[in-house]
Amino acid sequence: MRNKSHERPFPQRTTYFYPRGNGSHAPQRLKLTHKFVETIDGLWSRPYFECTTARAWLITYTSPILGKLGQEWTNLLHFVCFTSNRGMTTIDLALTDVDINQCDKGSGGQFQFEIFAGTHRCKNKTTQVSVSPLLDSVSERVPTDACVSLGTTFLTWTALAKYFNGSVIETEAADESNNYHSNPDSFQCLQCQPGCDACVDDSPCVVTLNWPLRKALMGLTVVTIIAAIGIIGFIVYFRDLKVVKTASPHFLIIILVGCILQYCEILVEYPKPQDSLCIVRLWFRHIGFGLGFTSLLLKTWRISVIFRVKSAQKIKLTDRHLIQRLAPILALYVVYLLAWSLAGPSHVTEMKMPGDLKFDECSFDWWDHAILIFEILFLFWGIHLCYNVRKRRPPSTRASSSAGQSTI
């Protein structure tokens, strides 16, 4: 066992007493200063088998005996004793009914003798103490502390025992020249793969991402966004051309902005999932959908309204009128997403694949289902509009000819 009082001076104690007098005058109080032995000044031995008289496993506690070497009066009322080591006293304890717990005091459990708390030799970096009854050569049950792996570490799969024998570690630690002290990796377990709560080997616990494929998709997304920005520049520059002006350049730009926002969702999903990115991803997706598909379907709706008129009355639906109808729909999206982000925001959840491989993804709940149902119904309405105007379009409305395909 480790001597906790190594190089520790013996504590001093001061005692006050009244010497026996002859009754001729009142006794005076004298002060005596002397040193004494505490429990931690003793030394516990390692368990051993006594095979002569007790024939049992014992542990011995050895403590010094202090005696008076000399004395000195510092003044008339203060008496100081000089002490020296006069001998040693030993106490043998049978381990038959004694529970010796060498775990750290804060680890829980019961300590019959707190003097043994924290005296284990396990290396706390990758191992922890676990009481494991072992059998010795004379078939006697010996309470021995074993060093077992922590939840995120493991012993090599070639090891026959999945723990380090506490007795072996105590023997190695007793000699300063052994590997226990010179080699930091001795009696250490191996680290599990990242993300593992517990393991028995170095098998991965987290799904391995295909980074080359992700980078390729990311590059394609960036190229598409740059192309969309280039098309916006083309529309702005040639906005006075008849073919561009007839196709409503304002709505063409709004549709492209919606596409760019939806592509930005892929950029947000590239890094490791985070709670904040899960929320941003939803805003990009649904605001982009509201801008892109709503603008496209409003243009188709304008054609449908024009051809439904039976009279010769002229109907005027300019881009300004359509934008006035687009604004409430976008406001509805913003209010819904704001309530979603505050009341029940999407967050990162841990999922498992067959084989217990873990991966992180953003959560889905009834907020997702509600807005997806709304968007699906909105797309069905767009399909209905496209079907109604499939044969009723003048040459100037060809910009909406592919709306049905885009909606699908």
Side-chain angles (χ1 to χ4, degrees), residues 78-91:
H78 191 187
F79 182 70
V80 179
C81 290
F82 297 97
T83 57
S84 65
N85 190 355
R86 293 295 187 177
M88 305 295 291
T89 181
T90 61
I91 301 175

Side-chain angles (χ1 to χ4, degrees), residues 125-377:
K125 182 179 179 181
T126 60
T127 61
Q128 61 184 356
V129 186
S130 176
V131 177
S132 174
L134 304 177
L135 298 179
D136 75 330
S137 57
V138 294
S139 299
E140 294 287 345
R141 188 173 182 274
V142 186
T144 304
D145 286 342
C147 296
V148 299
S149 61
L150 291 172
T152 56
T153 60
F154 68 98
L155 278 169
T156 175
W157 63 273
T158 58
L160 298 179
K162 297 304 180 183
Y163 58 86
F164 294 111
N165 193 322
S167 299
V168 175
I169 295 180
E170 290 283 352
T171 303
E172 291 288 329
D175 189 353
E176 296 289 339
S177 62
N178 285 333
N179 288 336
Y180 180 89
H181 300 282
S182 60
N183 184 9
D185 295 329
S186 63
F187 298 101
Q188 296 276 21
C189 294
L190 303 178
Q191 290 290 341
C192 297
Q193 291 290 331
C196 294
D197 299 326
C199 64
V200 295
D201 52 28
D202 60 349
S203 299
C205 301
V206 180
V207 174
T208 302
L209 299 178
N210 190 342
W211 287 105
L213 178 60
R214 291 171 66 89
K215 292 179 180 179
L217 293 176
M218 181 63 58
L220 181 61
T221 302
V222 172
V223 171
T224 306
I225 292 176
I226 295 175
I229 296 175
I231 295 174
I232 292 176
F234 174 84
I235 294 173
V236 173
Y237 186 79
F238 294 101
R239 61 184 178 275
D240 293 330
L241 288 178
K242 182 178 180 180
V243 64
V244 176
K245 194 172 184 178
T246 304
S248 301
H250 296 92
F251 275 91
L252 294 179
I253 294 175
I254 293 175
I255 292 172
L256 288 171
V257 171
C259 294
I260 292 174
L261 291 179
Q262 288 187 302
Y263 277 118
C264 287
E265 179 189 358
I266 301 177
L267 300 180
V268 172
E269 290 181 343
Y270 180 79
K272 185 178 179 180
Q274 300 178 13
D275 292 342
S276 58
L277 295 181
C278 289
I279 298 175
V280 173
R281 174 181 61 90
L282 297 175
W283 280 80
F284 278 142
R285 176 196 299 173
H286 296 293
I287 294 297
F289 180 91
L291 287 174
F293 283 93
T294 304
S295 300
L296 184 62
L297 295 183
L298 282 177
K299 291 179 61 179
T300 308
W301 172 78
R302 177 167 57 183
I303 299 173
S304 176
V305 170
I306 293 174
F307 280 96
R308 281 206 312 264
V309 177
K310 302 297 183 181
S311 63
Q313 182 182 0
K314 183 178 180 181
I315 297 179
K316 187 177 181 180
L317 288 174
T318 62
D319 289 350
R320 177 179 296 181
H321 293 92
L322 296 184
I323 291 176
Q324 290 176 354
R325 287 168 171 78
L326 174 64
I329 298 176
L330 292 180
L332 180 63
Y333 268 104
V334 171
V335 171
Y336 186 87
L337 290 173
L338 187 61
W340 186 359
S341 301
L342 296 177
S346 178
H347 58 277
V348 178
T349 58
E350 185 179 279
M351 306 296 292
K352 285 190 176 182
M353 295 178 60
D356 290 336
L357 291 178
K358 300 184 296 184
F359 65 95
D360 294 333
E361 70 172 8
C362 297
S363 61
F364 290 88
D365 51 20
W366 65 271
W367 290 91
D368 293 271
H369 304 325
I371 195 170
L372 287 177
I373 291 174
F374 168 77
E375 291 175 347
I376 290 174
L377 295 177

Side-chain angles (χ1 to χ4, degrees), residues 1-10 37-46 60-64 85 88 102 115-121 170 173-174 176:
M1 295 294 177
R2 211 168 29 205
N3 188 357
K4 293 186 177 181
S5 63
H6 182 62
E7 297 182 355
R8 170 182 172 272
F10 292 111
V37 177
E38 290 185 316
T39 306
I40 62 174
D41 294 317
L43 180 66
W44 290 93
S45 69
R46 296 180 61 252
T60 300
Y61 176 75
T62 305
S63 177
N85 190 355
M88 305 295 291
Q102 290 184 264
I115 189 67
F116 295 104
T119 59
H120 65 85
R121 292 289 186 164
E170 290 283 352
E176 296 289 339

